[in-house]
Short mmCIF file of all heavy atoms in Angstrom, two decimals:
data_model
loop_
_atom_site.label_atom_id
_atom_site.label_comp_id
_atom_site.label_asym_id
_atom_site.label_seq_id
_atom_site.Cartn_x
_atom_site.Cartn_y
_atom_site.Cartn_z
N MET A 1 141.48 253.30 204.04
CA MET A 1 142.88 253.21 204.42
C MET A 1 143.05 253.86 205.80
O MET A 1 142.67 254.99 206.01
CB MET A 1 143.74 253.92 203.37
CG MET A 1 145.15 254.12 203.81
SD MET A 1 146.24 254.95 202.61
CE MET A 1 145.37 256.44 202.27
N PHE A 2 143.62 253.11 206.73
CA PHE A 2 143.96 253.63 208.05
C PHE A 2 145.22 254.48 207.93
O PHE A 2 146.12 254.17 207.17
CB PHE A 2 144.22 252.47 209.01
CG PHE A 2 144.90 252.88 210.27
CD1 PHE A 2 144.19 253.45 211.30
CD2 PHE A 2 146.27 252.71 210.42
CE1 PHE A 2 144.82 253.85 212.47
CE2 PHE A 2 146.91 253.10 211.58
CZ PHE A 2 146.18 253.66 212.61
N ARG A 3 145.29 255.55 208.70
CA ARG A 3 146.48 256.40 208.64
C ARG A 3 146.67 257.14 209.95
O ARG A 3 145.74 257.62 210.55
CB ARG A 3 146.30 257.40 207.51
CG ARG A 3 147.51 258.24 207.29
CD ARG A 3 147.34 259.13 206.12
NE ARG A 3 148.63 259.72 205.87
CZ ARG A 3 148.97 260.34 204.79
NH1 ARG A 3 148.12 260.47 203.84
NH2 ARG A 3 150.16 260.84 204.65
N SER A 4 147.92 257.23 210.40
CA SER A 4 148.29 258.09 211.52
C SER A 4 149.49 258.91 211.06
O SER A 4 149.80 258.93 209.87
CB SER A 4 148.61 257.26 212.77
OG SER A 4 149.87 256.65 212.64
N ASP A 5 150.20 259.55 211.96
CA ASP A 5 151.32 260.39 211.55
C ASP A 5 152.41 259.63 210.82
O ASP A 5 152.97 260.11 209.85
CB ASP A 5 151.92 261.11 212.74
CG ASP A 5 151.04 262.25 213.21
OD1 ASP A 5 150.15 262.66 212.45
OD2 ASP A 5 151.26 262.73 214.33
N SER A 6 152.76 258.44 211.29
CA SER A 6 153.87 257.72 210.66
C SER A 6 153.52 256.29 210.28
O SER A 6 154.38 255.56 209.81
CB SER A 6 155.08 257.71 211.59
OG SER A 6 154.77 257.03 212.78
N VAL A 7 152.25 255.87 210.46
CA VAL A 7 151.84 254.50 210.16
C VAL A 7 150.57 254.54 209.34
O VAL A 7 149.67 255.32 209.59
CB VAL A 7 151.60 253.72 211.48
CG1 VAL A 7 151.14 252.31 211.17
CG2 VAL A 7 152.84 253.70 212.34
N GLU A 8 150.48 253.67 208.32
CA GLU A 8 149.27 253.56 207.51
C GLU A 8 149.15 252.16 206.93
O GLU A 8 150.14 251.45 206.82
CB GLU A 8 149.24 254.61 206.41
CG GLU A 8 150.47 254.67 205.55
CD GLU A 8 150.53 255.93 204.72
OE1 GLU A 8 150.75 257.01 205.29
OE2 GLU A 8 150.35 255.81 203.50
N ILE A 9 147.93 251.77 206.60
CA ILE A 9 147.69 250.47 206.00
C ILE A 9 147.53 250.67 204.51
O ILE A 9 146.72 251.49 204.07
CB ILE A 9 146.45 249.80 206.60
CG1 ILE A 9 146.69 249.51 208.07
CG2 ILE A 9 146.12 248.52 205.84
CD1 ILE A 9 145.50 248.94 208.79
N ARG A 10 148.31 249.93 203.73
CA ARG A 10 148.28 250.00 202.27
C ARG A 10 148.44 248.60 201.72
O ARG A 10 148.84 247.69 202.43
CB ARG A 10 149.41 250.87 201.73
CG ARG A 10 149.26 252.33 202.08
CD ARG A 10 150.31 253.15 201.38
NE ARG A 10 150.03 254.55 201.52
CZ ARG A 10 149.33 255.27 200.63
NH1 ARG A 10 148.84 254.71 199.56
NH2 ARG A 10 149.13 256.55 200.83
N HIS A 11 148.17 248.44 200.42
CA HIS A 11 148.39 247.14 199.78
C HIS A 11 149.88 246.94 199.56
O HIS A 11 150.58 247.81 199.04
CB HIS A 11 147.67 247.07 198.43
CG HIS A 11 147.88 245.76 197.76
ND1 HIS A 11 147.16 244.64 198.10
CD2 HIS A 11 148.77 245.38 196.82
CE1 HIS A 11 147.60 243.63 197.37
NE2 HIS A 11 148.56 244.05 196.58
N CYS A 12 150.38 245.78 199.97
CA CYS A 12 151.78 245.43 199.78
C CYS A 12 151.86 244.39 198.66
O CYS A 12 151.28 243.31 198.77
CB CYS A 12 152.38 244.86 201.06
SG CYS A 12 154.09 244.32 200.87
N SER A 13 152.56 244.72 197.59
CA SER A 13 152.68 243.77 196.47
C SER A 13 153.53 242.57 196.86
O SER A 13 153.33 241.47 196.35
CB SER A 13 153.25 244.45 195.23
OG SER A 13 154.52 244.99 195.51
N GLY A 14 154.47 242.73 197.78
CA GLY A 14 155.30 241.61 198.23
C GLY A 14 154.51 240.61 199.04
O GLY A 14 154.68 239.39 198.89
N CYS A 15 153.63 241.10 199.91
CA CYS A 15 152.81 240.22 200.75
C CYS A 15 151.53 239.80 200.05
O CYS A 15 150.92 238.79 200.40
CB CYS A 15 152.44 240.94 202.05
SG CYS A 15 153.85 241.31 203.12
N GLY A 16 151.09 240.60 199.06
CA GLY A 16 149.86 240.29 198.34
C GLY A 16 148.60 240.61 199.12
O GLY A 16 147.54 240.07 198.83
N ASP A 17 148.67 241.50 200.10
CA ASP A 17 147.51 241.84 200.91
C ASP A 17 147.75 243.19 201.59
O ASP A 17 148.82 243.78 201.45
CB ASP A 17 147.31 240.75 201.98
CG ASP A 17 145.88 240.71 202.50
OD1 ASP A 17 145.05 241.55 202.09
OD2 ASP A 17 145.59 239.84 203.33
N GLU A 18 146.74 243.65 202.33
CA GLU A 18 146.86 244.89 203.08
C GLU A 18 147.82 244.66 204.25
O GLU A 18 147.71 243.67 204.97
CB GLU A 18 145.49 245.33 203.62
CG GLU A 18 144.48 245.60 202.53
CD GLU A 18 144.77 246.86 201.77
OE1 GLU A 18 144.96 247.90 202.41
OE2 GLU A 18 144.80 246.80 200.54
N ARG A 19 148.76 245.60 204.42
CA ARG A 19 149.75 245.50 205.49
C ARG A 19 150.00 246.86 206.11
O ARG A 19 149.72 247.90 205.51
CB ARG A 19 151.08 244.94 204.96
CG ARG A 19 151.02 243.53 204.48
CD ARG A 19 150.82 242.58 205.66
NE ARG A 19 150.93 241.20 205.25
CZ ARG A 19 149.89 240.37 205.13
NH1 ARG A 19 148.68 240.78 205.37
NH2 ARG A 19 150.09 239.11 204.78
N LEU A 20 150.57 246.84 207.27
CA LEU A 20 150.95 248.06 207.98
C LEU A 20 152.26 248.58 207.39
O LEU A 20 153.23 247.84 207.28
CB LEU A 20 151.11 247.75 209.46
CG LEU A 20 151.20 248.91 210.42
CD1 LEU A 20 149.90 249.71 210.41
CD2 LEU A 20 151.49 248.39 211.82
N PHE A 21 152.26 249.85 206.99
CA PHE A 21 153.46 250.52 206.48
C PHE A 21 153.82 251.64 207.43
O PHE A 21 152.94 252.30 207.99
CB PHE A 21 153.21 251.11 205.08
CG PHE A 21 153.31 250.12 203.98
CD1 PHE A 21 152.28 249.22 203.73
CD2 PHE A 21 154.44 250.06 203.17
CE1 PHE A 21 152.38 248.30 202.71
CE2 PHE A 21 154.55 249.15 202.14
CZ PHE A 21 153.51 248.27 201.92
N GLU A 22 155.11 251.86 207.63
CA GLU A 22 155.54 252.97 208.46
C GLU A 22 156.60 253.79 207.74
O GLU A 22 157.22 253.31 206.79
CB GLU A 22 156.06 252.47 209.81
CG GLU A 22 157.25 251.56 209.74
CD GLU A 22 157.63 251.01 211.11
OE1 GLU A 22 156.89 251.23 212.09
OE2 GLU A 22 158.68 250.38 211.20
N ARG A 23 156.77 255.01 208.20
CA ARG A 23 157.76 255.91 207.62
C ARG A 23 159.07 255.68 208.35
O ARG A 23 159.17 255.90 209.55
CB ARG A 23 157.31 257.35 207.78
CG ARG A 23 158.23 258.33 207.09
CD ARG A 23 157.83 259.79 207.27
NE ARG A 23 156.41 260.02 207.21
CZ ARG A 23 155.71 260.61 208.18
NH1 ARG A 23 156.29 261.01 209.28
NH2 ARG A 23 154.42 260.79 208.05
N PRO A 24 160.12 255.25 207.63
CA PRO A 24 161.41 255.05 208.29
C PRO A 24 162.09 256.40 208.52
O PRO A 24 161.67 257.42 207.97
CB PRO A 24 162.20 254.23 207.27
CG PRO A 24 161.64 254.65 205.95
CD PRO A 24 160.17 254.92 206.20
N PRO A 25 163.15 256.44 209.32
CA PRO A 25 163.92 257.68 209.45
C PRO A 25 164.42 258.11 208.07
O PRO A 25 164.91 257.30 207.30
CB PRO A 25 165.09 257.29 210.36
CG PRO A 25 164.63 256.07 211.08
CD PRO A 25 163.70 255.36 210.13
N CYS A 26 164.24 259.38 207.74
CA CYS A 26 164.57 259.86 206.40
C CYS A 26 166.02 260.35 206.33
O CYS A 26 166.38 261.32 206.99
CB CYS A 26 163.62 260.98 206.00
SG CYS A 26 163.85 261.52 204.30
N ALA A 27 166.80 259.68 205.51
CA ALA A 27 168.21 260.06 205.34
C ALA A 27 168.38 261.21 204.34
O ALA A 27 169.46 261.78 204.22
CB ALA A 27 169.01 258.86 204.85
N ASP A 28 167.29 261.57 203.63
CA ASP A 28 167.37 262.61 202.61
C ASP A 28 166.96 263.98 203.13
O ASP A 28 166.92 264.95 202.36
CB ASP A 28 166.49 262.24 201.41
CG ASP A 28 166.95 260.96 200.75
OD1 ASP A 28 168.17 260.73 200.70
OD2 ASP A 28 166.09 260.19 200.30
N GLY A 29 166.60 264.08 204.40
CA GLY A 29 166.26 265.37 204.98
C GLY A 29 164.84 265.84 204.73
O GLY A 29 164.55 267.01 204.92
N HIS A 30 163.92 264.96 204.33
CA HIS A 30 162.53 265.35 204.09
C HIS A 30 161.75 265.55 205.39
O HIS A 30 160.72 266.20 205.39
CB HIS A 30 161.80 264.30 203.25
CG HIS A 30 162.33 264.14 201.88
ND1 HIS A 30 162.93 262.99 201.46
CD2 HIS A 30 162.37 264.99 200.83
CE1 HIS A 30 163.31 263.12 200.20
NE2 HIS A 30 162.99 264.33 199.80
N GLY A 31 162.21 264.93 206.47
CA GLY A 31 161.49 265.03 207.74
C GLY A 31 160.12 264.39 207.63
O GLY A 31 159.97 263.29 207.10
N ALA A 32 159.09 265.08 208.11
CA ALA A 32 157.72 264.55 208.09
C ALA A 32 157.16 264.42 206.68
O ALA A 32 156.16 263.73 206.48
CB ALA A 32 156.82 265.44 208.93
N ASP A 33 157.78 265.05 205.69
CA ASP A 33 157.30 264.97 204.31
C ASP A 33 157.97 263.85 203.52
O ASP A 33 157.85 263.80 202.30
CB ASP A 33 157.55 266.30 203.60
CG ASP A 33 156.71 267.41 204.18
OD1 ASP A 33 155.59 267.14 204.66
OD2 ASP A 33 157.18 268.56 204.17
N CYS A 34 158.69 262.96 204.19
CA CYS A 34 159.40 261.88 203.50
C CYS A 34 158.41 261.00 202.73
O CYS A 34 157.40 260.56 203.29
CB CYS A 34 160.18 261.03 204.51
SG CYS A 34 161.20 259.79 203.71
N PRO A 35 158.66 260.73 201.44
CA PRO A 35 157.74 259.94 200.63
C PRO A 35 157.91 258.43 200.79
O PRO A 35 157.16 257.67 200.21
CB PRO A 35 158.09 260.37 199.20
CG PRO A 35 159.55 260.68 199.27
CD PRO A 35 159.75 261.29 200.64
N GLU A 36 158.88 257.99 201.57
CA GLU A 36 159.15 256.55 201.69
C GLU A 36 158.29 255.92 202.77
O GLU A 36 158.08 256.48 203.83
CB GLU A 36 160.62 256.32 202.01
CG GLU A 36 161.54 256.81 200.92
CD GLU A 36 163.01 256.68 201.30
OE1 GLU A 36 163.34 255.80 202.12
OE2 GLU A 36 163.81 257.46 200.78
N ARG A 37 157.80 254.69 202.48
CA ARG A 37 157.08 253.87 203.45
C ARG A 37 157.64 252.47 203.33
O ARG A 37 158.00 252.02 202.26
CB ARG A 37 155.59 253.85 203.17
CG ARG A 37 154.90 255.21 203.16
CD ARG A 37 154.90 255.84 204.54
NE ARG A 37 154.18 257.09 204.56
CZ ARG A 37 154.67 258.26 204.22
NH1 ARG A 37 155.90 258.37 203.81
NH2 ARG A 37 153.94 259.35 204.29
N VAL A 38 157.67 251.74 204.44
CA VAL A 38 158.22 250.38 204.48
C VAL A 38 157.19 249.45 205.10
O VAL A 38 156.63 249.75 206.15
CB VAL A 38 159.53 250.34 205.29
CG1 VAL A 38 160.06 248.93 205.40
CG2 VAL A 38 160.57 251.24 204.66
N CYS A 39 156.95 248.30 204.45
CA CYS A 39 156.05 247.28 204.98
C CYS A 39 156.67 246.69 206.23
O CYS A 39 157.83 246.26 206.22
CB CYS A 39 155.80 246.20 203.93
SG CYS A 39 154.80 244.82 204.54
N THR A 40 155.90 246.64 207.31
CA THR A 40 156.42 246.12 208.57
C THR A 40 156.53 244.60 208.57
O THR A 40 157.16 244.03 209.44
CB THR A 40 155.56 246.57 209.76
OG1 THR A 40 154.22 246.10 209.56
CG2 THR A 40 155.57 248.09 209.90
N GLU A 41 155.92 243.93 207.57
CA GLU A 41 155.98 242.46 207.50
C GLU A 41 157.16 241.99 206.65
O GLU A 41 157.94 241.17 207.09
CB GLU A 41 154.68 241.91 206.90
CG GLU A 41 153.47 242.25 207.71
CD GLU A 41 152.93 241.07 208.49
OE1 GLU A 41 153.29 239.92 208.18
OE2 GLU A 41 152.13 241.32 209.40
N CYS A 42 157.26 242.50 205.42
CA CYS A 42 158.28 241.97 204.50
C CYS A 42 159.41 242.94 204.20
O CYS A 42 160.40 242.57 203.59
CB CYS A 42 157.63 241.52 203.19
SG CYS A 42 157.11 242.87 202.10
N GLY A 43 159.25 244.22 204.59
CA GLY A 43 160.29 245.22 204.33
C GLY A 43 160.20 245.85 202.96
O GLY A 43 161.05 246.64 202.58
N GLY A 44 159.15 245.52 202.19
CA GLY A 44 158.94 246.12 200.86
C GLY A 44 158.76 247.63 200.99
O GLY A 44 158.23 248.12 201.99
N ALA A 45 159.23 248.37 200.00
CA ALA A 45 159.19 249.82 200.06
C ALA A 45 158.21 250.42 199.07
O ALA A 45 157.98 249.86 198.00
CB ALA A 45 160.58 250.39 199.79
N LEU A 46 157.63 251.54 199.43
CA LEU A 46 156.75 252.34 198.57
C LEU A 46 157.24 253.78 198.57
O LEU A 46 157.76 254.27 199.57
CB LEU A 46 155.32 252.36 199.11
CG LEU A 46 154.48 251.12 199.04
CD1 LEU A 46 153.13 251.40 199.71
CD2 LEU A 46 154.26 250.69 197.62
N LEU A 47 157.05 254.44 197.44
CA LEU A 47 157.24 255.89 197.37
C LEU A 47 155.86 256.49 197.19
O LEU A 47 155.13 256.12 196.28
CB LEU A 47 158.15 256.29 196.21
CG LEU A 47 159.62 255.98 196.38
CD1 LEU A 47 160.39 256.34 195.12
CD2 LEU A 47 160.19 256.73 197.56
N ILE A 48 155.50 257.42 198.04
CA ILE A 48 154.18 258.04 198.03
C ILE A 48 154.28 259.39 197.35
O ILE A 48 155.16 260.20 197.68
CB ILE A 48 153.65 258.22 199.46
CG1 ILE A 48 153.72 256.92 200.26
CG2 ILE A 48 152.26 258.81 199.47
CD1 ILE A 48 152.90 255.79 199.71
N GLY A 49 153.39 259.67 196.40
CA GLY A 49 153.38 260.97 195.73
C GLY A 49 154.30 261.01 194.53
O GLY A 49 154.84 260.01 194.09
N LEU A 50 154.48 262.19 194.03
CA LEU A 50 155.32 262.40 192.85
C LEU A 50 156.70 262.90 193.26
O LEU A 50 156.84 263.57 194.27
CB LEU A 50 154.67 263.44 191.93
CG LEU A 50 153.29 263.06 191.39
CD1 LEU A 50 152.68 264.25 190.65
CD2 LEU A 50 153.39 261.86 190.48
N PRO A 51 157.71 262.59 192.45
CA PRO A 51 159.04 263.12 192.77
C PRO A 51 159.08 264.64 192.61
O PRO A 51 158.27 265.22 191.89
CB PRO A 51 159.96 262.45 191.74
CG PRO A 51 159.07 262.00 190.65
CD PRO A 51 157.71 261.79 191.25
N GLU A 52 160.01 265.26 193.29
CA GLU A 52 160.15 266.71 193.19
C GLU A 52 160.60 267.07 191.78
O GLU A 52 161.42 266.37 191.18
CB GLU A 52 161.18 267.21 194.19
CG GLU A 52 160.74 267.06 195.62
CD GLU A 52 161.76 267.60 196.59
OE1 GLU A 52 162.59 268.44 196.19
OE2 GLU A 52 161.73 267.17 197.75
N PRO A 53 160.06 268.15 191.20
CA PRO A 53 160.48 268.55 189.86
C PRO A 53 161.93 269.00 189.85
O PRO A 53 162.44 269.51 190.85
CB PRO A 53 159.54 269.70 189.51
CG PRO A 53 159.01 270.18 190.81
CD PRO A 53 159.07 269.03 191.78
N CYS A 54 162.58 268.79 188.75
CA CYS A 54 163.95 269.26 188.61
C CYS A 54 164.04 270.15 187.36
O CYS A 54 163.22 270.07 186.46
CB CYS A 54 164.93 268.09 188.51
SG CYS A 54 164.67 267.06 187.08
N GLU A 55 165.03 270.99 187.35
CA GLU A 55 165.22 271.90 186.22
C GLU A 55 165.90 271.15 185.08
O GLU A 55 166.89 270.45 185.29
CB GLU A 55 166.10 273.07 186.65
CG GLU A 55 166.28 274.11 185.58
CD GLU A 55 167.11 275.29 186.07
OE1 GLU A 55 167.07 275.59 187.26
OE2 GLU A 55 167.78 275.89 185.22
N VAL A 56 165.34 271.28 183.89
CA VAL A 56 165.92 270.65 182.71
C VAL A 56 166.43 271.74 181.80
O VAL A 56 165.70 272.66 181.44
CB VAL A 56 164.86 269.79 181.97
CG1 VAL A 56 165.45 269.20 180.71
CG2 VAL A 56 164.33 268.71 182.88
N ARG A 57 167.68 271.64 181.44
CA ARG A 57 168.27 272.64 180.54
C ARG A 57 168.48 272.00 179.18
O ARG A 57 169.03 270.91 179.08
CB ARG A 57 169.59 273.13 181.08
CG ARG A 57 169.43 273.91 182.36
CD ARG A 57 170.73 274.45 182.83
NE ARG A 57 170.54 275.11 184.11
CZ ARG A 57 171.45 275.83 184.69
NH1 ARG A 57 172.64 275.98 184.13
NH2 ARG A 57 171.22 276.41 185.84
N VAL A 58 168.03 272.69 178.17
CA VAL A 58 168.19 272.20 176.79
C VAL A 58 169.10 273.17 176.05
O VAL A 58 168.87 274.38 176.05
CB VAL A 58 166.80 272.12 176.09
CG1 VAL A 58 166.97 271.65 174.66
CG2 VAL A 58 165.87 271.22 176.87
N ALA A 59 170.12 272.62 175.45
CA ALA A 59 171.05 273.44 174.69
C ALA A 59 170.36 273.98 173.43
O ALA A 59 169.56 273.29 172.81
CB ALA A 59 172.28 272.64 174.30
N ALA A 60 170.69 275.22 173.09
CA ALA A 60 170.13 275.82 171.88
C ALA A 60 170.70 275.09 170.67
O ALA A 60 171.88 274.67 170.67
CB ALA A 60 170.48 277.30 171.81
N PRO A 61 169.91 274.91 169.62
CA PRO A 61 170.42 274.23 168.43
C PRO A 61 171.57 275.04 167.81
O PRO A 61 171.58 276.28 167.85
CB PRO A 61 169.24 274.15 167.48
CG PRO A 61 168.12 274.92 168.12
CD PRO A 61 168.54 275.31 169.49
N ALA A 62 172.52 274.34 167.24
CA ALA A 62 173.65 275.00 166.59
C ALA A 62 173.17 275.75 165.35
O ALA A 62 172.23 275.34 164.68
CB ALA A 62 174.70 273.97 166.21
N ALA A 63 173.81 276.89 165.08
CA ALA A 63 173.46 277.69 163.90
C ALA A 63 173.81 276.88 162.64
O ALA A 63 174.85 276.22 162.57
CB ALA A 63 174.20 279.01 163.91
N ARG A 64 172.94 276.96 161.64
CA ARG A 64 173.16 276.23 160.37
C ARG A 64 173.89 277.13 159.39
O ARG A 64 173.57 278.30 159.25
CB ARG A 64 171.83 275.80 159.79
CG ARG A 64 171.11 274.84 160.73
CD ARG A 64 169.74 274.55 160.22
NE ARG A 64 169.81 273.44 159.29
CZ ARG A 64 168.79 273.02 158.58
NH1 ARG A 64 167.64 273.61 158.67
NH2 ARG A 64 168.93 272.00 157.77
N ALA A 65 174.86 276.60 158.73
CA ALA A 65 175.57 277.35 157.69
C ALA A 65 174.71 277.41 156.44
O ALA A 65 174.11 276.45 156.04
CB ALA A 65 176.92 276.69 157.38
N ALA A 66 174.70 278.57 155.80
CA ALA A 66 173.85 278.74 154.61
C ALA A 66 174.57 278.35 153.36
O ALA A 66 175.69 278.24 153.15
CB ALA A 66 173.39 280.17 154.51
#
């Protein structure tokens, strides 16, 4: 896989072949760590890596009456 700072070659499922992908301007504030890539041929999008973890809160079970 070819790769530079903002351009890399990956398989594009829309094109069905290896294509040039680039990092678009990130509207989410990730900067250089933005996980989005866009195929320069068809505009198909990829997310690279795993999503950021989020905190999950679970309510304590209600007390059972005896």
Side-chain angles (χ1 to χ4, degrees):
M1 168 180 55
F2 165 80
R3 184 176 190 166
S4 75
D5 285 345
S6 62
V7 179
E8 52 194 71
I9 295 176
R10 293 187 170 268
H11 180 80
C12 177
S13 59
C15 295
D17 203 357
E18 299 288 309
R19 294 291 187 254
L20 193 64
F21 279 77
E22 61 185 7
R23 186 182 320 123
C26 186
D28 298 324
H30 295 115
D33 294 329
C34 185
E36 297 175 26
R37 302 293 184 276
V38 177
C39 175
T40 59
E41 299 254 344
C42 73
L46 289 177
L47 287 177
I48 309 298
L50 299 172
E52 293 182 22
C54 63
E55 184 177 331
V56 177
R57 294 183 183 189
V58 179
R64 298 173 87 186

